[in-house]
Amino acid sequence: MRKTLSLALAATAVAAVAISGASAATLDTVTATPDSLQWSPCPQKTASQNADAPRLECATLDVPLDYRDPDGRQIEIAVSRLASKDPSKRRGVLLTNPGGPGVSGLDYPALLAGAGLPKDVLDSYDVIGFDPRGVGRSTPVTCDLTPQQQARGNFPPYAHTAADVAKEAPYARTIAEQCATSRTAWMLPYTTTANTARDMDRIRAALGEPTASYFGSSYGSYLGAVYTTMFPGRSDRIVLDSNMGPGGYALAHFRSLGRGMEDRFPDFAAYAAAHPKHGLGTTPEQVTAKFFELAKRLDAEPVGGIDGTLFRGVTFDRLYVEGLMSQLAEEWQALDQGEPLPAPPPVAENFLAGHFYVTCGDSRWAGKVQDYQRNAAIDRLKYPMLGGTTGNIKPCAYWPDNRVEPPVRIGDRGPSNVLMVQNERDPGTPLTSAMKLRRALGDRATMVTADQGGHGVYPFGRNTCANNTVTAFLTNGQRPAEDLACAAEPNK
């Protein structure tokens, strides 16, 4: 999914106790089958502006707030469908999730179709999108964030010293307290990945399907891993793209973004060196030195509101997409010459709130300032480009301890029906994290790696080896017998 600056800054930020998939799923085995969904055209502002948007249909589904009390308070889940055009080839439903957490997925089927999801896949499935609980047109959550807090996003300042971490702590505590006292705080303990997976299974049942296939990217990879762990017998073909580790969006994942930046940056350094018109250097080493020079200069004297932290964030964001290399070089050139950049769009309050609810609610984060001071000191040394930010303190450190269940433990019990696909140099979900999920899934999974950079492989990437492998699995069930490494392919 292509991310704007505000989305990447907001989205880019392990449990010791876990439950088995079987016990997690038990909460949903005694509930009645949901009513069928009633489809109607999606709201115009929801549907993506592409040729498939008019075909997108929407519906709503009531689900339990707390699956331990299935007949208690209900919340609403907004669901979308891009129906197969060829009923003779339709084999089922393909649930989807674009990532986040906190991101709307209602228009994702149309976005995928517009991005080139193959016709064979579109014929084989009704492609299903949904806004996860707490997000968008589903029952939404809030943290009552002010415009200034929304502008800060979810990207802590780069901590150069222990004092910088201590300075950030009161702000992190304020955000946590606002979430815990907001008008939707009643949803706080129940807005989790495990409950979103249960909602997905309710969607499957409402569609009248005995099983569901799934495609999810970024955080959606973790959601898919949780779903197929909790409901292995109801999982058909599961594709996990740009993979988080088995702990999900926990503290360890946020810290891993420092590694992701270091993995990906050499691609940009090589690009900028090959295009000296931008004046950033004629060798990758010179471009790398320019990064640290600009970051230090902007820390001391921001340009048009872009300080060192935002400069690092702009760079990290653009590295998600291969096609943004030229834009990033131009932005560096402008900042180097003291020219301000256009202001990024504000981050939606609901997105940030939904992000906090899930990331802080799924797992416990360290709770002491000293822990983050140590993390920042370690990560600055290991990953100097971004480590001062990824090691800094976040609102999850002060989250109320009202979790009703521990995280789902991802394991290798269940059918061998998972295909993982992963770029080797992904800044947002580094290869090292994907390998941890691969090991956790064991014989359930086969993994395809593509020798390319950026966040997101299918169908947005250009590697035909990786893309064709995913298409073959979704359409005819063919999956490599063992892990597959796809070689780099030239730009088209």
Side-chain angles (χ1 to χ4, degrees):
M1 180 180 185
R2 296 322 184 217
K3 299 175 183 286
T4 64
L5 171 64
S6 61
L7 176 56
L9 292 182
T12 58
V14 171
V17 182
I19 53 178
S20 70
S23 61
T26 307
L27 295 178
D28 197 34
T29 57
V30 296
T31 58
T33 302
D35 295 332
S36 297
L37 297 165
Q38 303 298 313
W39 299 105
S40 61
C42 291
Q44 188 172 3
K45 66 179 181 180
T46 298
S48 303
Q49 298 304 307
N50 63 54
D52 290 283
R55 291 204 299 121
L56 199 64
E57 304 169 287
C58 284
T60 57
L61 177 68
D62 289 340
V63 301
L65 171 68
D66 181 358
Y67 277 88
R68 300 172 305 171
D69 182 18
D71 297 322
R73 188 168 189 173
Q74 305 288 296
I75 60 173
E76 196 170 74
I77 303 297
V79 186
S80 64
R81 177 178 69 175
L82 192 65
S84 167
K85 287 184 177 180
D86 191 340
S88 67
K89 295 180 179 179
R90 181 190 180 278
R91 63 175 309 275
V93 296
L94 180 68
L95 273 63
T96 63
N97 181 272
V103 174
S104 168
L106 207 58
D107 63 351
Y108 197 45
L111 283 169
L112 289 169
L117 193 66
K119 181 178 183 299
D120 285 349
V121 177
L122 293 170
D123 288 342
S124 297
Y125 297 95
D126 292 345
V127 184
I128 306 299
F130 66 101
D131 281 352
R133 60 169 55 204
V135 175
R137 293 184 177 273
S138 295
T139 303
V141 296
T142 183
C143 288
D144 298 324
L145 300 173
T146 67
Q148 292 77 19
Q149 290 169 333
Q150 292 174 55
R152 274 284 305 271
N154 190 35
F155 215 62
Y158 193 97
H160 296 276
T161 65
D164 289 340
V165 178
K167 182 180 178 181
E168 178 66 7
Y171 179 82
R173 182 189 292 274
T174 295
I175 298 298
E177 290 175 348
Q178 285 180 213
C179 294
T181 57
S182 73
R183 60 186 180 276
T184 59
W186 53 275
M187 292 182 65
L188 212 67
Y190 311 105
T191 308
T192 62
T193 300
N195 277 332
T196 299
R198 294 183 179 108
D199 297 341
M200 286 169 54
D201 203 55
R202 282 298 189 93
I203 294 171
R204 174 204 58 78
L207 292 167
E209 299 288 337
T211 61
S213 293
Y214 176 83
F215 171 75
S217 183
S218 196
Y219 163 76
S221 67
Y222 176 63
L223 175 59
V226 168
Y227 178 79
T228 197
T229 296
M230 294 175 66
F231 304 103
R234 304 174 196 172
S235 304
D236 189 7
R237 297 170 186 172
I238 307 298
V239 179
L240 310 180
D241 188 330
S242 306
N243 297 271
M244 287 186 174
Y249 209 124
L251 174 58
H253 171 73
F254 187 64
R255 292 183 68 188
S256 79
L257 300 182
R259 169 67 183 267
M261 176 84 155
E262 304 278 344
D263 287 349
R264 174 61 163 150
F265 186 81
D267 291 339
F268 173 71
Y271 172 88
H275 295 79
K277 65 179 181 179
H278 297 297
L280 305 178
T282 57
T283 67
E285 291 77 17
Q286 290 176 351
V287 176
T288 303
K290 175 62 71 173
F291 172 86
F292 289 106
E293 174 197 332
L294 275 172
K296 183 176 181 180
R297 191 195 316 167
L298 292 166
D299 277 332
E301 188 175 347
V303 172
I306 305 293
D307 60 9
T309 291
L310 194 51
F311 166 72
R312 296 176 181 93
V314 168
T315 301
F316 180 75
D317 169 79
R318 303 295 189 250
L319 295 178
Y320 272 51
V321 182
E322 192 73 21
L324 294 181
M325 292 286 191
S326 177
Q327 179 179 335
L328 178 59
E330 292 171 359
E331 290 170 337
W332 274 34
Q333 186 177 29
L335 291 170
D336 193 33
Q337 297 171 355
E339 300 173 3
L341 304 180
V347 182
E349 201 278 342
N350 175 245
F351 166 77
L352 283 173
H355 185 82
F356 290 136
Y357 273 54
V358 174
T359 57
C360 303
D362 267 2
S363 62
R364 288 176 174 81
W365 292 47
K368 296 181 179 179
V369 173
Q370 295 93 319
D371 294 325
Y372 295 92
Q373 290 172 325
R374 181 176 62 252
N375 292 347
I378 292 171
D379 293 355
R380 278 196 310 270
L381 288 175
K382 292 177 67 176
Y383 312 120
M385 288 186 163
L386 202 62
T389 284
T390 58
N392 206 348
I393 195 166
K394 289 167 61 70
C396 296
Y398 300 105
W399 210 248
D401 189 12
N402 58 0
R403 298 169 181 85
V404 297
E405 61 178 329
V408 174
R409 181 179 180 180
I410 307 300
D412 59 0
R413 298 181 63 182
S416 184
N417 62 346
V418 179
L419 179 66
M420 299 173 59
V421 60
Q422 176 75 30
N423 285 333
E424 290 185 5
R425 299 178 301 283
D426 185 326
T429 50
L431 179 60
T432 52
S433 298
M435 293 301 298
K436 292 176 182 177
L437 181 61
R438 172 69 185 87
R439 288 191 291 270
L441 288 169
D443 291 339
R444 293 205 64 189
T446 296
M447 183 168 174
V448 178
T449 53
D451 184 359
Q452 63 184 10
H455 188 57
V457 180
Y458 186 82
F460 302 101
R462 67 178 186 272
N463 192 287
T464 55
C465 166
N467 285 338
N468 291 344
T469 302
V470 176
T471 297
F473 177 60
L474 287 174
T475 55
N476 58 39
Q478 292 181 353
R479 196 184 65 164
E482 56 187 25
D483 290 356
L484 173 66
C486 291
E489 298 182 7
N491 290 325
K492 295 180 181 179

